Amino acid sequence: MRTTTRASAVVFGLLLGCTGEVIQPGGDGPIPILPAGPEFACEEAPPVEAPMNRLTRDQFDNTLHDLLTLYVGPDRAVTVLDAAGPQHTLLPHDEAPPRDDNRFKRDYRRWDQTVSDIHVEGWYLTALAIGAELAANDRAALLGACGETVECARDFLHAFASRAYRHPIPNDSRARLDAVFGDAWSETALAESIAFVLLAPDFLYHVEEGAESVGGATYALDDYELAARMSYALWDSLPDDELWSAAEAGQLTRDDDALAAQVDRMLDDPRSRPALTRFFEDWLQLSVVENPADLSSNPAYMAFAGDDLPNDDLAGAGVQEIHDLIERLVFEDEGTVRDLLTTDLAPVRDPALARLYGMAEPWDGTSEPPRFAPSERSGLLSRFSLLATATLLTRPVHRGVLVREMILCDDLPAPPEGASSTTIQLEGLHSTREYYEALTEAPSTNCVQCHRDLINPLGFVMERYDSLGRLRTEETIFDRDTGEVLGAVPIDTTVEPSLFYGDDSRVSTPDELGDAIADSGKLEACLARNVFRFMFARQENVRTDGCALEDARVAGSDGRIRDLIGAMVLSRAFRLRTIEE
Amino acid sequence: MTERTIRTTRRFFLRGLGGFTLALPFLPSLAPARADGRPLVPAIPPRFISMTTNHGAVQQPNQVPEITAWDEERTLFDDYVVRRAALRASPVGSEVEIAPIYGAPSDELTSAVLAKMNLLTGITIPWYIAHNTGGHLGNMARNDGNGGDGGLAQGYPTPTIDQIMAYSPSFDTGGTHRRSVITGPNGRVSWGWEVPPASGEVLGSGAIVETQRTNRLNDLFTSLYVPPPSDDNPEPMRTPLVDLVIEEYRSVRQSNRRLSARDRERLDAHIARLDDLQRRVNAIPTAVCDEVVFDGSASGPAYYETVNDILAMAFACQTTRIAVIGAHENDMVSGVTLGWHDVAHSADDPQSQAWLVEANRGFFRHAFLDLVRKLEIDEGDGSTILDNSLVVWTTESGPSTHNNTGSNILTAGSAAGFLKTGMFCDYRDMSPGGELWRYNRVSGLRPGLAHNQALATFLQAMRVPPSEFNQVPNCGFASSDTPPPVTGYGFAQVTAPYLNSTNRNNGGRVNAPGRTERTMESMNDILPFLEA
């Protein structure tokens, strides 16, 4: 019997699969949730308490590199770290934990605060290796003209520990460090003392004790703590000499202009690029982009892909495109928040990806990037990394959920009980949209409200692209066993996106959707929330964090992306910590 | 330096990915005795290996063997009868199989191997948990929050049994390099306390956090391979640095610096890990392996086979006694044109069911059976590592995805003589009232004994007594709206409304109100038929 991908293949919503069974009569009512408004109420309130975080893996690596660079220079810093390579590789990489405990939604890698036996062993072995390497080969650079004496070693270690700890070394810690070195000079004592510093809580954790209370248990950070918070937020590393000097001079807490100038300088510094690229990677969940390359033996997929059969590098090429796009928008072209959803820049280096997009040739990586016709692709949502499904079919429910939650920051309720296995059979050839409408939008079910009003429209409008992210005007149906083309059905991408309560507008193309979202004001509000989550490594609280969110939102509503990011760092909340002892 | 004897007659082989083979002489130590005279490591230390896969959705005929004559039937109460038969494999095509998802060539799935395995069916989480990764080993809170029950359960996190074992005074991991190793592509299976129990203690403190996973092969090898001492090793330290670092953390912890209570809790967690590092730094190795070099990567079935190679080495070299593999069964099948989640949700489609069977059969052969065979390493007393292990394969859901009713658990090894093996045990309630209330239009689902009873069985097989694991918060079952709860491992949102026969949840049996509650009354009992 002939089978087709559409007539019998069964496709289910990733998050909101549904039985169509009547569980709650009357479910065909209004939208069940009200998307949050774009504005945040700013009422000065103390930030919620959050425990001190450890250095992330990136922060650990960068801090070691930049700390060693201060003493032995950048080239030697690299070779010292290389010497610790075998031990260093044991350290786990951070993982973005699932949001709301849901495996399909991710937060930020900075939120990973796991401290396991492997972490502790990795830190320990790395510190030992670095200490041994420096003590064996870099004593002259570390101790200078002072020489190999106990006093000189202690002077070095005090200074070294201060920079490593990101604040002057506390007196009791100084005494313990002196005790570690002991009373007699030796290379071993130096090696172990360096390792001791790199294993101390003041090095591995962001210890913030605050300066003075601004009310109750909330304290203003001191200059050193603020400098460290700034440098780890924007660079994933410790303060450089200039920022350290500003902290020493007390400028950061005393002079708002000096603080703003530092933020501007730090955003211009190349160190901000990898750190902020990690923000976009996590926000857009690029770490879970699947490579659709394991279907090369499937006749239907071969027929579908044609000359665009993915190779093993395509997923990486798609992520690279997003990196390049962010690089241009945030750091080089002074892009606006709106540009995130409307840009026509096409920084596509990979030939296979360029061909898939229909480009005449890939970008050379250095010249001004080519541009898409706006009607073809605009903004992040129209790119391979956010479109490809690693399967033959698109997943409009998945796409809809991602846009609703990731771009609009609307919280969808968990799927109802019973959202599980069932099969629907539609006669004849039909589109993916028709299938999902039949599956999830049946009247009087507990599925229809969320799917019809909140999820499906945002996915259906993206049906303009197939599961490889190629532009299409109709949906081709293949025999799933032989790959034979059975026919084609028209694409219907006209939807009511319901971007906010009362929104009855209609859009028909992805670029219209991008414009509508940008016009709604929800994009900069959502970006502000996500930048907050990244910067503070915690969930925002719209009541107590409203001012910081609003500062950033306003900065992003008529400014550059970097203005929104900078505004978050300059917010009052960024300078405070609540410490419930 | 510890004195060691080399027994070159016992060699363990680590197969490299390029087909090369590395001879790994196994070097058991003449380990010194403790002060109390007990050996440093029990003569036959049990090991625990958990393998977990997602989704389930394999239809019953594809995962349950057909039995015409039972060897034993036992009435648990009323007309609820459980049954057992010998575990057998029948020829099908060129291979043999227990059921379609448990098939392999006859020279791999031999009668000798079958005699060391158990297939348990009817294992049930008697409420709606849907998608979860924590349920396999007892942290029911780690679910996606689907439906009402899942959301409720999220409020009751619990350490998983592998971590209970890892810190149990009775399990005694003191001689191992790693208390446990968590690997595989699927995370969030293993959970423990942020501040693990101190030596000799049962309970830890702080939040329940995911146990660190090591899924890249090179990292897994590095974390488990302890090279033998060499002349190149650095000079011993004047004072072990780890001791000084612990003192630094304690000093900061106890200082008058302005730290929050949660800051201090984080320092406590760090100190606990440092204590463990100190234990390992100061430990006298109970065995060492010769030089082994591993460098490789693999995907699909080869990934799991290589993980097994490394784990077999680790067990042979006694660098760990607990391993958890969070697996993706779909790694075993290619050419699937749907997302795997969609495949599970369309399990009644013939093509999807065929993919599910192929994936699970592949996992059985290349992951479970492969490890079982590799653990047949002589322990020196006539037993093998497999004999002294308990290998457990659990699935996220039963025959209907999102529903953990009537699931299978496949085991191997007797846990050093604690369990009988070679059986197919059917715990499904096949009585007239035992059928599950219609679920998602899927009929024929039969709840059986609770998954938590299986977890308690596994703990006891590892010699962790109920007197220990019953102390764990959020364990035990409220058998009605009015406690007291009964004892047992792992939280289940089980209250009268959830068990009512007219309720649609997993535990509700047709015309048999209260029957699931009855199964809760013996949660610490070893599962029927298994106790040796």
Side-chain angles (χ1 to χ4, degrees), chain B residues 134-451:
Chain B
H136 293 276
L137 296 177
N139 182 17
M140 303 297 175
R142 168 62 288 287
N143 70 76
D144 284 2
N146 295 0
D149 300 3
L152 279 173
Q154 288 180 340
Y156 299 90
T158 309
T160 47
I161 61 170
D162 57 301
Q163 294 307 301
I164 297 295
M165 296 171 196
Y167 288 92
S168 163
S170 303
F171 188 74
D172 191 3
T173 50
T176 56
H177 179 60
R178 298 238 173 265
R179 289 183 183 272
S180 62
V181 58
I182 317 300
T183 189
N186 197 29
R188 301 174 75 73
V189 174
S190 173
W191 297 77
W193 279 286
E194 184 178 14
V195 184
S199 177
E201 299 290 325
V202 173
L203 302 180
S205 60
I208 302 301
V209 297
E210 184 182 6
T211 315
Q212 181 65 45
R213 182 168 47 111
T214 306
N215 58 345
R216 289 191 300 190
L217 293 172
N218 283 335
D219 295 344
L220 181 65
F221 177 80
T222 302
S223 71
L224 287 173
Y225 174 62
V226 179
S230 77
D231 294 338
D232 298 332
N233 282 359
E235 289 293 314
M237 294 177 194
R238 300 164 303 164
T239 303
L241 187 63
V242 65
D243 297 356
L244 301 172
V245 174
I246 290 173
E247 183 53 37
E248 174 71 7
Y249 276 76
R250 290 201 171 117
S251 297
V252 172
R253 165 77 174 76
Q254 293 159 4
S255 71
N256 59 3
R257 294 174 65 176
R258 189 186 296 126
L259 299 174
S260 72
R262 296 176 70 190
D263 291 343
R264 295 182 199 280
E265 198 168 79
R266 292 227 155 139
L267 292 173
D268 288 339
H270 199 108
I271 290 167
R273 304 296 177 187
L274 284 168
D275 284 339
D276 207 50
L277 177 65
Q278 186 183 42
R279 174 189 65 80
R280 281 178 277 140
V281 167
N282 297 328
I284 299 168
T286 55
V288 296
C289 290
D290 209 344
E291 287 288 349
V292 180
V293 176
F294 175 85
D295 184 15
S297 61
S299 60
Y303 170 83
Y304 294 95
E305 291 171 352
T306 311
V307 166
N308 289 344
D309 286 338
I310 296 170
L311 292 182
M313 174 206 72
F315 290 128
C317 301
Q318 300 186 34
T319 48
T320 193
R321 287 168 51 205
I322 298 172
V324 175
I325 304 171
H328 288 156
E329 71 279 9
N330 49 309
D331 290 343
M332 301 293 176
V333 59
S334 60
V336 180
T337 52
L338 296 176
W340 194 248
H341 185 268
D342 298 337
V343 170
H345 277 277
S346 59
D348 50 355
D349 175 75
Q351 176 61 75
S352 293
Q353 186 61 209
W355 280 328
L356 287 161
V357 170
E358 182 183 350
N360 282 276
R361 188 181 177 108
F363 188 82
F364 170 73
R365 181 183 175 194
H366 296 288
F368 184 88
L369 184 59
D370 180 74
L371 179 62
V372 164
R373 297 174 69 230
K374 285 172 177 166
L375 292 181
E376 290 282 27
I377 300 169
D378 184 7
E379 295 258 48
D381 64 349
S383 67
T384 67
I385 291 178
L386 176 63
D387 296 331
N388 300 318
S389 299
L390 175 59
V391 186
V392 175
W393 173 16
T394 53
T395 58
E396 179 186 18
S397 294
S400 175
T401 196
H402 277 232
N403 186 306
N404 206 302
T405 296
S407 295
N408 282 9
I409 295 180
L410 192 65
T411 73
S414 69
F418 190 91
L419 300 172
K420 289 181 182 173
T421 57
M423 297 182 291
F424 166 52
C425 300
D426 188 350
Y427 301 136
R428 292 174 297 173
D429 186 349
M430 304 302 282
S431 69
E435 185 173 353
L436 181 68
W437 188 88
R438 179 170 168 267
Y439 177 83
N440 271 341
R441 304 180 201 147
V442 176
S443 60
L445 291 177
R446 297 257 176 188
L449 295 175
H451 184 72

Side-chain angles (χ1 to χ4, degrees), chain A residues 289-296 301-302 305-318 349-356 384 388 390 468:
Chain A
V289 172
E290 296 175 82
N291 202 330
D294 65 344
L295 290 166
S296 56
Y301 194 77
M302 295 278 282
D307 293 339
D308 296 319
L309 190 67
N311 57 37
D312 290 343
D313 301 325
L314 193 58
R349 301 169 190 252
D350 183 75
L353 185 58
R355 186 173 63 246
L356 193 145
F384 174 86
L468 272 173

Side-chain angles (χ1 to χ4, degrees), chain A residues 127-351:
Chain A
L128 288 181
I130 290 174
E133 179 69 17
L134 288 174
N137 300 309
D138 296 279
R139 291 192 300 278
L142 303 181
L143 304 173
C146 188
E148 297 181 353
T149 67
V150 172
E151 291 70 27
C152 292
R154 285 182 173 171
D155 286 347
F156 157 72
L157 287 168
H158 297 162
F160 180 75
S162 290
R163 293 305 293 263
Y165 297 170
R166 287 87 69 182
H167 60 72
I169 181 171
N171 287 336
D172 52 347
S173 293
R174 181 193 301 250
R176 290 192 294 273
L177 178 56
D178 288 347
V180 170
F181 188 86
D183 296 327
W185 159 263
S186 73
E187 181 185 315
T188 303
L190 182 62
E192 292 179 15
S193 300
I194 291 170
F196 178 85
V197 168
L198 301 181
L199 292 167
D202 287 285
F203 177 76
L204 289 175
Y205 290 84
H206 299 292
V207 181
E208 296 172 337
E209 301 178 60
E212 58 191 34
S213 172
V214 296
T218 301
Y219 297 83
L221 301 183
D222 69 23
D223 277 83
Y224 294 102
E225 292 166 343
L226 180 55
R229 198 181 264 198
M230 290 163 65
S231 67
Y232 283 99
L234 295 176
W235 290 346
D236 272 336
S237 189
L238 47 65
D240 65 356
D241 283 339
E242 186 170 339
L243 189 59
W244 181 258
S245 297
E248 284 181 317
Q251 289 180 343
L252 302 176
T253 57
R254 202 178 55 223
D255 184 344
D256 284 351
D257 290 339
L259 183 67
Q262 286 291 344
V263 171
D264 215 35
R265 178 184 73 86
M266 294 173 74
L267 284 168
D268 284 338
D269 190 285
R271 279 173 286 194
S272 67
R273 298 191 179 200
L276 295 178
T277 297
R278 280 189 279 277
F279 161 71
F280 284 99
E281 283 180 348
D282 287 354
W283 178 38
L284 302 172
Q285 299 188 25
L286 298 183
S287 62
V288 296
V289 172
E290 296 175 82
N291 202 330
D294 65 344
L295 290 166
S296 56
S297 62
N298 184 281
Y301 194 77
M302 295 278 282
F304 159 74
D307 293 339
D308 296 319
L309 190 67
N311 57 37
D312 290 343
D313 301 325
L314 193 58
V319 172
Q320 180 64 51
E321 181 201 3
I322 302 297
H323 285 178
D324 287 330
L325 200 55
I326 295 302
E327 184 96 4
R328 301 292 302 195
L329 289 180
V330 179
F331 300 107
E332 296 178 16
D333 290 352
E334 304 203 329
T336 64
V337 175
R338 183 185 191 90
D339 287 334
L340 291 171
L341 294 189
T342 60
T343 181
D344 56 0
L345 282 172
V348 182
R349 301 169 190 252
D350 183 75

